[in-house]
Structure formats: structure tokens, C-alpha cells
Amino acid sequence: MTNNRYIAYQDFVKHGGSSRYPKDLTAILVDGQGVVKEFGYEARRRWQIELNQKNPNKFGYASRFKMALRSDAPPSDVPRFLGRLARADRRIVRSLITAYLGKLYRTALEEIGATSYRGSGLAYEGDDIRWCITVPAIWKDAEKRAMRDAAVAAGLPADEERLLLVSEPEAAAVYCALTSGTLLGPARPEGRLDVWTAGSRFMVVDCGGGTVDITSYQIRADGVGDDRLAEIGLADGGAHGSAYINQHFVDRVLADRFGVEELKALTVSHPKEIALLEDRWEEWKVGLHSETAPGGAPVITTPCDIEIPGRLWEALPRATRDRLAEEAYGDPYHLVLTPAEVAMLHEAVVGPVLDTIERQRQLVIDGGPLKGVNQIVIVGGFARSTYLRDRIAHRFGDEVEVLIPQDPAVAVLGGAVHFAYDPSVVWGRRSKYTYAYACSKPFRDGVDPQRRRFIDEDGEIMCSGRMHVVVRRGDVVETGALKNSSLRIPQRDLQSFDIGLYATYSDDPQYTDDPGCEHLGTVVADVSGSVNQDSSKRLVDVYYAFGGTEIAVETRDRISGVRRKATIEFTELYGRHGKAGS
């Protein structure tokens, strides 16, 4: 039994139809007092009932709300907050995430408790389980910590050995290295990621609903196993998920057909019908198949024809109805998009995805052999789009192999299960930022600004706010490897010592207020064991581990020898969005 792995997941029915998906909808419904009533597709169904009745119970509905955890979340209706949640702030977003994770936690415990293997009950309980939560690769350290805090508040274990976080493309990389897939191209034969050749490189393009995350990996030795997978790219991506195609459908197509002000009014007067129209577009989009032009480029040749709900049609002005019927070849109650319009909606997202892939390819080429990556693997729910897959294959297929796993939508899930089972499969990760801590150093005449000059307790002339680099941007840091630095404790009577941790894209930051240098958080070191000792001998050793999904820090009072895990109080990182390629 130890040599077998059983992965179970549910299929969810989308949009009340026959389309099935291995993930539930990220949606939640609360009542008039803010108490959570439903989750997922059931929450959406109940909310539509409330809309039909003009929401007399003052319910609130939120969907795609994980994206709102980011401090620089884009100012669009993705995520979406409606009803009593219409003005949800980040505090409420975190409470919604906690509630959703609590639901997942309880459901998983029930499923595991009811699972049998070859007729015998497994009898696993909560204390026997290691949990793994996947997060977007573009998330910052503060957002990862917020997700961990929400998970612990939801009932998951606080022990960092029993609650792991893994980036979504990394989980997908593990999955793809273990399973066969299909080579995208004219012949489309079965293929498999090359994990047997030492030095083999591949890029994972994780295309989800909210984000597209991309990074690259290399096989270090003789294949997948302990310490075999190393990240060689800097995680990149952005808000280019399939949900934004739907948002463009509203912002561009519906606003064009109905008029901007009329659409705003209809969204208030007929919210259920507008939501139903979006659902019908989503169903059509999922079933879209592109064709190949004579030059090999994928094209969309089929117009989109979706039915407008009757109540919404009757609410439209006569002139609008006449124009829509004419565009639908005389057929009322229909909204028709030309193939060019469908392509335009997709290209608003697919274009930036292709540009991000190219940026990642150039990064890997600059940081290693000219061959760059050998293979591109496309995963995620959006990878079911034949147009996206064919655009990637057409753009890059002459230079690298482009593959898709057997079921791209479960790649992150399956990889996360294996990662939870064996986190050592990932040997190292490439640092997205240069990390440094603030300290005082001897003053350099003619170099350091006079405003930073001060004299310490021992009479030495020092410079405040200097930076000491621990890890530089682009360094591949071994998982679990500790970076050690020592600091003098500035005062004899201090029992705890606050160390400012900073992040920047600069390779050689000098001062804490350098452009682009941002305060990541504060490390609190316990130095109570050496109070009132000679300040010249009061030193604290700081051990940073940057090779994991999250930053870990330990401190050691040099005199007392006491070593403790340090707490990092994260601040929000502003101004980072869009700088990853700089």
C-alpha cells in the first residue's frame, strides 16, 4: 500500500448544465447578518434566486474573491462583490477566504474519513494529515502569509511542517513530470515531459481563471525524485486569466450593444438576466474550437450566437432591439458576435500571455545555455481553450515542444498532492527579489549622506539605514538552506530587537529609501538573554531561509546561545505590479 497513491477529487457541474469541472466555484453567499449560507455553485444558484426576488433578504454574494487579497488588485469587477458585500474591504475578503477554507477543510476530513482502500477503511484523522494550499506564483510574501493565517483561522494546523504552501506552476511542474501528455502540433502524438535527461529544461504556463503564472524548471540529475527539480526562471505572470475575457465581454460587447449608461441601468434593474447572459457567453466560450488558417495560424471562423433572456430583451429600447435583430439576421432575442469580435476578446488576454511567455524564455536564455527551455507545458482550466493552446503552439512550436497534460485542469491539484507527500522533490527556487535587512554600518566620508551620520553608544561614527543583502534577485536558493548574518544589538538594555527586512529589484541596494526598495516586514529577535552585557559583544545571528515557498527566519542570541524562530510582521508591498520584467 505504501507504493500506491490514491488521488480523489469531485467533479462539479457548471452553470446548471452538463459541463463538468474538477473544481468548485470560488463563490460564497452570506445572509443579512453576514453569516455564510452557501459555497461554490450552490451559492451562485441561491444568489440568482435572490436576484429574481429583488434580494428581499439582503443577502450578499462574492465570487473570484481570492484575487482581492492582493494589495494591488486591478480595479475591475473581477473579483465581484454584490448585495450586502458590495463594499467589501480586505478585512472582509480575508474573512471570506477563512470561511471558504474552513468549508474545504471540513469537507476533506469527511471525504478522507469515508474513504476506503480495497474494502478496508483508512481511518485517518486530522492529526495524520499534511495539508497543502496552492497560491499564485505572482503573489508576494505578505499575501502568502495572509493565506496561511486564514487557513490556520479556518482550523488547519499552524505547524509549518503540516501546512505547506506551494506555487501553482510549481505544483503543475511536479504533476507534468510524472504524467504523460499530448504534443501540440499537426500530428498531436502522445508525448511526455523529458525528465530523464540531466539538464532538461521546461516552462510551465499555468492558465487559470484569474491569473496566468509562468516559471521555468530544470531537472538536476537522473529524473524526478528527491531533490530533482530546480526553479530556474523568475515567476512571472499577471491578471490574464479566462475571467477577464468574460469581463471584456461585458465592458466591450454589452456596453457597445446596449450603450454604457443603459447597461449600468440594466445591471441594477435586471441583474439576474445580465448574469444569465454572461453564463451563456461562458458556455459558448468553453466550447469554442479554433481552426487553422493556410499559414498555420489559429483563427476563429464561427460567429457567437447567444440567446438574450426574454425579460432583458423586452427592457431594451425599440431601436436597440431592431439593431440587434438586424445583426442576428432578423432573429430577435439573439446577440451575435462576429468572429473578429470573438478573437478580439480572446486576444485582449491571450496577447499578454504570449508576451509573458516570451519574456520568461528570454530570462532563462540570459541566465543559462542558449538553448533556453526545451519544452512548454500548458496547464490550468483556461488551458482547455483550443484557441489559447493553438496560439501558443503556433508562436513557439517551431523552437520548443509545446505539451498539454492529459487533464490540464487537475495538474495543479495532482501536483500539490505529490508535493505534500514529498516536498523534497523541489531542490531550489529562484529568488524573485533582492532581500536585505536594514542596519547601521561605519560611516563612509564622501559617500554616505550626512543626514545618516550618527555616533553610537560606543562613540563610533555610524551610518543609519544601510542595507545588508542576504539574497540577490535571480539567485537560485537551495530549499531549506540558511543564509546567516550577524548584527550588533544597538543598545545594552534591549530585550527584543526589531530588524527591518526589505525587498527590491535592485542588485545592489545601498539605503532603505533607495527607489524601488520596499519595507517587506519586521523580524522580531528575542535577545533577552544578553541584557546589559557589553554592547560591543552583544550580537544576534539571523538565519534566513529563502528557498521555500515562504520566508523562514530564526535568530540566535550570541551570548546566551538561545535560538528561536522569529516572527515576521509583514507589511503590504505596494508599487510592485508590472515591475517583474524590469
Side-chain angles (χ1 to χ4, degrees):
M1 185 171 174
T2 57
N3 295 322
N4 293 279
R5 189 164 309 134
Y6 174 63
I7 300 177
Y9 57 87
Q10 293 177 287
D11 270 335
F12 297 90
V13 178
K14 300 176 66 175
H15 313 298
S18 58
S19 178
R20 304 184 70 84
Y21 197 63
K23 303 175 187 176
D24 202 357
L25 186 68
T26 305
I28 203 165
L29 181 77
V30 301
D31 65 15
Q33 287 70 48
V35 178
V36 176
K37 306 301 291 184
E38 299 290 351
F39 299 89
Y41 288 110
E42 183 60 23
R44 181 172 188 161
R45 187 189 68 81
R46 286 280 303 278
W47 173 245
Q48 290 180 341
I49 293 174
E50 287 295 317
L51 287 180
N52 195 41
Q53 300 172 350
K54 306 300 182 184
N55 195 18
N57 300 310
K58 307 300 181 185
F59 277 26
Y61 177 77
S63 65
R64 310 164 187 162
F65 48 85
K66 185 176 77 171
M67 289 288 291
L69 193 61
R70 296 194 64 184
S71 57
D72 57 355
S76 71
D77 288 336
V78 181
R80 180 171 298 175
F81 300 95
L82 302 170
R84 67 169 284 114
L85 292 176
R87 288 175 292 277
D89 56 22
R90 296 188 68 223
R91 177 185 60 82
I92 293 177
V93 169
R94 293 187 183 195
S95 71
L96 296 177
I97 291 174
T98 296
Y100 204 96
L101 289 174
K103 169 67 172 178
L104 292 175
Y105 177 63
R106 294 187 298 272
T107 301
L109 287 178
E110 292 171 2
E111 291 287 334
I112 292 169
T115 299
S116 64
Y117 181 79
R118 294 182 177 175
S120 62
L122 296 178
Y124 289 130
E125 298 180 356
D127 291 343
D128 302 316
I129 302 168
R130 176 187 282 161
W131 304 84
C132 184
I133 297 176
T134 64
V135 295
I138 60 174
W139 269 16
K140 304 163 191 168
D141 299 288
E143 288 138 11
K144 295 175 188 176
R145 175 54 61 87
M147 179 61 79
R148 175 176 288 279
D149 290 344
V152 172
L156 279 78
D159 183 353
E160 294 181 1
E161 294 297 319
R162 292 187 52 223
L163 176 59
L164 307 179
L165 266 61
V166 64
S167 73
E168 287 159 0
E170 186 168 276
V174 174
Y175 174 85
C176 294
L178 296 169
T179 61
S180 63
T182 299
L183 187 66
L184 298 181
R188 296 182 186 269
E190 283 295 305
R192 191 181 179 96
L193 197 65
D194 178 10
V195 297
W196 314 113
T197 303
S200 174
R201 295 173 164 217
F202 63 97
M203 179 191 301
V204 175
V205 182
D206 178 22
C207 306
T211 61
V212 170
D213 291 319
I214 302 175
T215 193
S216 301
Y217 300 88
Q218 183 169 25
I219 304 302
R220 294 186 59 245
D222 299 326
V224 170
D226 290 353
D227 304 336
R228 294 295 186 254
L229 203 59
E231 183 182 37
I232 58 171
L234 288 173
D236 201 353
H240 311 315
S242 62
Y244 289 91
I245 297 179
N246 297 353
Q247 191 60 42
H248 292 315
F249 170 76
V250 175
D251 293 341
R252 301 182 184 186
V253 174
L254 295 189
D256 174 72
R257 297 299 199 273
F258 299 157
V260 174
E261 295 304 318
E262 182 67 19
L263 177 59
K264 290 179 181 178
L266 290 170
T267 302
V268 175
S269 62
H270 292 72
K272 180 183 177 182
E273 287 74 21
I274 294 292
L276 183 57
L277 196 59
E278 292 181 60
D279 286 349
R280 290 174 178 171
W281 157 254
E282 167 69 12
E283 292 174 358
W284 191 92
K285 181 192 73 175
V286 169
L288 172 68
H289 286 276
S290 59
E291 298 183 17
T292 303
V299 294
I300 295 173
T301 59
T302 306
C304 171
D305 186 348
I306 54 180
E307 185 178 356
I308 300 176
R311 290 186 69 247
L312 181 61
W313 178 267
E314 298 300 330
L316 296 174
R318 165 67 69 151
T320 301
R321 284 184 284 172
D322 289 346
R323 175 168 45 81
L324 293 176
E326 181 179 354
E327 293 173 355
Y329 312 104
D331 203 358
Y333 299 96
H334 281 265
L335 177 68
V336 175
L337 283 70
T338 66
E341 287 179 305
V342 176
M344 176 269 295
L345 293 178
H346 281 73
E347 281 301 315
V349 170
V350 173
V353 171
L354 298 178
D355 292 341
T356 308
I357 293 174
E358 181 59 40
R359 188 164 63 231
Q360 178 75 197
R361 289 183 68 242
Q362 294 304 316
L363 172 70
V364 175
I365 289 173
D366 291 343
L370 292 178
K371 64 181 180 180
V373 295
N374 311 89
Q375 300 153 108
I376 294 175
V377 186
I378 313 170
V379 301
F382 190 18
R384 291 182 168 184
S385 166
T386 60
Y387 183 75
L388 171 68
R389 294 181 340 218
D390 291 346
R391 283 283 279 122
I392 294 174
H394 180 258
R395 172 84 171 263
F396 303 105
D398 290 339
E399 302 173 63
V400 298
E401 290 186 341
V402 180
L403 299 101
I404 186 168
Q406 293 172 345
D407 190 344
V410 304
V412 172
L413 170 62
V417 172
H418 184 87
F419 180 82
Y421 168 75
D422 180 18
S424 69
V425 69
V426 179
W427 173 82
R429 298 176 175 88
R430 180 164 287 199
S431 180
K432 293 168 62 177
Y433 311 116
T434 294
Y435 290 101
Y437 61 79
C439 62
S440 297
K441 294 185 178 183
F443 188 82
R444 300 171 295 183
D445 286 321
V447 177
D448 294 325
Q450 286 294 319
R451 61 185 174 84
R452 294 186 176 276
R453 185 179 183 275
F454 75 100
I455 300 176
D456 68 9
E457 285 185 347
D458 299 317
E460 296 187 30
I461 302 174
M462 305 294 289
C463 177
S464 65
R466 287 286 304 280
M467 298 288 278
H468 183 87
V469 172
V470 185
V471 172
R472 297 190 190 279
R473 169 177 162 85
D475 286 351
V476 176
V477 184
E478 184 179 348
T479 303
L482 295 177
K483 298 286 186 177
N484 181 19
S485 298
S486 298
L487 285 170
R488 279 182 56 188
I489 302 170
Q491 298 174 11
R492 292 185 177 92
D493 59 349
L494 285 179
Q495 297 200 27
S496 65
F497 181 34
D498 292 349
I499 306 168
L501 185 61
Y502 289 77
T504 178
Y505 282 108
S506 170
D507 291 332
D508 190 26
Q510 293 295 308
Y511 307 102
T512 57
D513 58 357
D514 282 354
C517 189
E518 301 186 61
H519 186 213
L520 174 64
T522 302
V523 178
V524 182
D526 183 343
V527 292
S528 58
S530 60
V531 172
N532 295 326
Q533 298 292 322
D534 186 344
S535 61
S536 64
K537 297 179 181 178
R538 287 196 81 192
L539 297 174
V540 59
D541 295 322
V542 187
Y543 303 89
Y544 301 90
F546 292 95
T549 309
E550 303 166 89
I551 299 173
V553 181
E554 291 185 359
T555 62
R556 176 179 173 269
D557 188 328
R558 183 76 67 83
I559 291 178
S560 68
V562 174
R563 182 165 175 166
R564 292 193 175 97
K565 282 190 174 182
T567 301
I568 304 179
E569 298 296 337
F570 284 105
T571 59
E572 297 300 340
L573 297 179
Y574 295 102
R576 292 288 184 81
H577 187 62
K579 294 184 181 178
S582 63

